[in-house]
Amino acid sequence: MKVITLREGKERALLRRHPWVFQGSVAKGGGDAGETVRVQSHDGQFLAWAAFSPSSQIRVRAWSFDEAERIDAAFFQRRVQQAVAVRQRLAIDSDGIRLVHGEADGLPGLIVDQYGDLLSAQFLSAGTERWKDVIADALVAATGCPYLYERSDASVRALEGLAQVTGWLRHPETADGARRSTEVTIHENGWRLTLDVAEGHKTGYYLDQRDNRGLFAKLVRQFNCKTVLNCYSYTGGFSVAALEGGATEVTSVDSSAPALARANAHVTLNGYEAGAHTALDADVNSSLRAFIQAGRTFDAIVLDPPKFAPSAAHADRASRAYKDINRLAFKLLNPGGLLLTFSCSGGIGAELFHKIVAGAGLDAGVDGYLLKRLEATPDHPTTITFPEGEYLKGLVIVRK
Ligand code: SAH
């Protein structure tokens, strides 16, 4: 067993059950990529069993803080089973569920989403890469889902020294001897939504906004919103929500043509008139400016941009980008209209995001009631020891 010894004083994070050790905290020791190592304090006290990552700034990710625990196939079976069991108790009314949310589920670097009978997984750390086969078996056993697709094509893999990989990990023949496709239909808030685990973003879909999409449908009805602008719409989840809420003119803006094609398909698949929805393949910032130029306004606007700040180091530039789109959105909002505005940047905390949006309102000359604060669905949990896990934050604002 290889041993990693930390510098004096650097044991504190692991003692608080924070699962990461950065490169600068390691005094001596090493291992192969993903190898299980014993991490100890400068004076030899056991701290954790962990996966070693020779090329990452995060040199060590803890698997277990229990010295008696063995990191073997049974360990991964237990962790996966626990993650699945928690989701069952959450009683999520959908067949699209995040089953494993990395560090929060004691499996640093592993993301697994279930879409119907199909699992879609990202192995984002050297440790999860090393145990991939064992983890795949554990996932199939714990869920009964026979199909597992790998979407390890995230850029963070490069930081771990890992190449990008996609493809089936488990793909048995169907009863009629055929092979299951990567296309799947899920049910969310009573809607039918389709995705392709091979082609979609991340694992295929953004499950973290499920409850916020459901809430949006209710708010659109309650505030009698008719014209709705869904910015960064992806496949139109918030657009279908708007239609359910009684909107008559919904515009989805996204820079991905395949996502917009799906957004259009979702409108009719859920029984709404194709004519009630417009898909705009464009940059959001330019579209917002063009709408202002054209004198258009909306009863409700959703802003759900991609991660502008991957880490706190990018917070300044990202803050300006968030402020810009929020300022433009405020200008486009009818009095009494609704703004749902989000940030999924881990580097922008909830308090800072609130300040950015407040500044945007001030610049636009618009005031609003803060109706509600939003977060990710509970199947994307955070734990009390890992605040970095908190990433999605949103505000519901009603323009005065
Ligand atoms: N609201 C969506 C998820 C949005 S994810 C949902 O509920 O499913 C962010 C989206 O922003 C992606 O679909 C991506 O294609 C799009 N995007 C990224 N940069 C963009 C830009 N500059 N202009 C328009 N869309 C952009």
Side-chain angles (χ1 to χ4, degrees):
M1 178 60 59
K2 297 201 178 141
V3 175
I4 305 292
T5 306
L6 302 189
R7 291 172 191 274
E8 192 169 351
K10 296 297 182 184
E11 68 282 357
R12 279 191 223 120
L14 288 177
L15 285 174
R16 278 195 246 108
R17 299 198 164 223
H18 187 288
W20 295 350
V21 175
F22 287 90
Q23 175 192 4
S25 302
V26 175
K28 63 170 193 267
D32 296 334
E35 189 175 355
T36 302
V37 292
R38 177 193 157 98
V39 187
Q40 63 182 31
S41 61
H42 74 286
D43 55 1
Q45 182 197 352
F46 170 86
L47 296 169
W49 299 115
F52 189 75
S53 185
S55 59
S56 175
Q57 287 276 2
I58 306 173
R59 203 41 63 96
V60 157
R61 292 172 201 252
W63 291 129
S64 172
F65 300 99
D66 175 2
E67 190 166 10
E69 190 152 38
R70 282 189 49 161
I71 310 305
D72 53 12
F75 166 81
F76 288 98
Q77 286 158 11
R78 285 195 300 277
R79 285 281 158 99
V80 166
Q81 274 162 8
Q82 188 192 6
V84 171
V86 167
R87 273 43 175 203
Q88 281 162 356
R89 267 177 284 151
L90 290 172
I92 293 158
D93 187 19
S94 174
D95 52 0
I97 298 175
R98 171 142 306 182
L99 292 180
V100 180
H101 191 56
E103 278 74 358
D105 288 301
L107 292 166
L110 181 67
I111 300 293
V112 184
D113 288 333
Q114 177 177 359
Y115 300 116
D117 63 347
L118 210 157
L119 302 172
S120 183
Q122 297 181 305
F123 297 80
L124 303 176
S125 59
T128 54
E129 178 72 18
R130 182 131 173 164
W131 289 96
K132 192 184 284 180
D133 206 41
V134 163
I135 291 169
D137 284 341
L139 286 167
V140 169
T143 60
C145 290
Y147 308 108
L148 170 59
Y149 197 84
E150 178 178 13
R151 283 298 303 271
S152 299
D153 51 345
S155 56
V156 292
R157 292 252 310 177
L159 304 176
E160 296 279 317
L162 301 169
Q164 310 223 336
V165 193
T166 61
W168 288 107
L169 283 177
R170 297 291 180 269
H171 196 204
E173 282 186 1
T174 57
D176 59 3
R179 288 287 185 161
R180 200 202 184 296
S181 81
T182 49
E183 177 86 18
V184 57
T185 302
I186 59 165
H187 304 81
E188 174 189 290
N189 297 306
W191 315 316
R192 290 164 71 200
L193 300 166
T194 68
L195 61 105
D196 186 321
V197 291
E199 304 293 332
H201 294 177
K202 308 277 178 74
T203 67
Y205 187 59
Y206 295 93
L207 294 168
D208 53 359
Q209 291 281 28
R210 181 195 315 112
D211 292 352
N212 297 329
R213 287 185 286 257
L215 174 72
F216 188 53
K218 293 194 182 89
L219 289 171
V220 165
R221 185 160 303 280
Q222 189 182 337
F223 285 81
N224 197 26
C225 302
K226 295 298 169 197
T227 54
V228 174
L229 178 61
N230 180 9
C231 297
Y232 309 97
S233 65
Y234 190 47
T235 56
F238 280 104
S239 302
V240 173
L243 291 165
E244 186 193 307
T248 52
E249 236 179 278
V250 179
T251 306
S252 300
V253 185
D254 202 282
S255 54
S256 159
L260 289 171
R262 242 175 234 280
N264 274 327
H266 286 157
V267 170
T268 46
L269 181 66
N270 288 284
Y272 299 106
E273 289 293 325
H277 179 248
T278 306
L280 209 58
D281 182 352
D283 169 60
V284 162
N285 203 299
S286 325
S287 304
L288 294 173
R289 288 172 199 277
F291 286 137
I292 291 172
Q293 283 281 319
R296 274 191 71 172
T297 57
F298 298 89
D299 296 336
I301 300 177
V302 178
L303 290 177
D304 185 20
K307 195 162 38 180
F308 287 161
S311 74
H314 304 79
D316 271 359
R317 229 183 68 201
S319 299
R320 285 194 291 278
Y322 283 118
K323 188 173 176 186
D324 220 25
I325 54 170
N326 279 279
R327 178 177 53 80
L328 298 168
F330 272 125
K331 288 191 173 184
L332 286 166
L333 206 57
N334 287 326
L338 277 179
L339 175 65
L340 253 74
T341 181
F342 295 97
S343 162
C344 61
S345 297
I348 305 270
E351 208 175 319
L352 175 56
F353 185 58
H354 187 166
K355 277 190 188 140
I356 294 167
V357 175
L362 212 57
D363 283 6
V366 167
D367 199 1
Y369 297 102
L370 180 55
L371 209 65
K372 206 171 167 54
R373 293 169 190 277
L374 303 175
E375 57 190 4
T377 44
D379 47 337
H380 298 60
T382 47
T383 59
I384 51 179
T385 53
F386 187 64
E388 285 92 334
E390 226 163 284
Y391 67 105
L392 183 67
K393 72 266 338 165
L395 301 170
V396 182
I397 296 160
V398 181
R399 190 185 160 167
K400 282 193 178 174

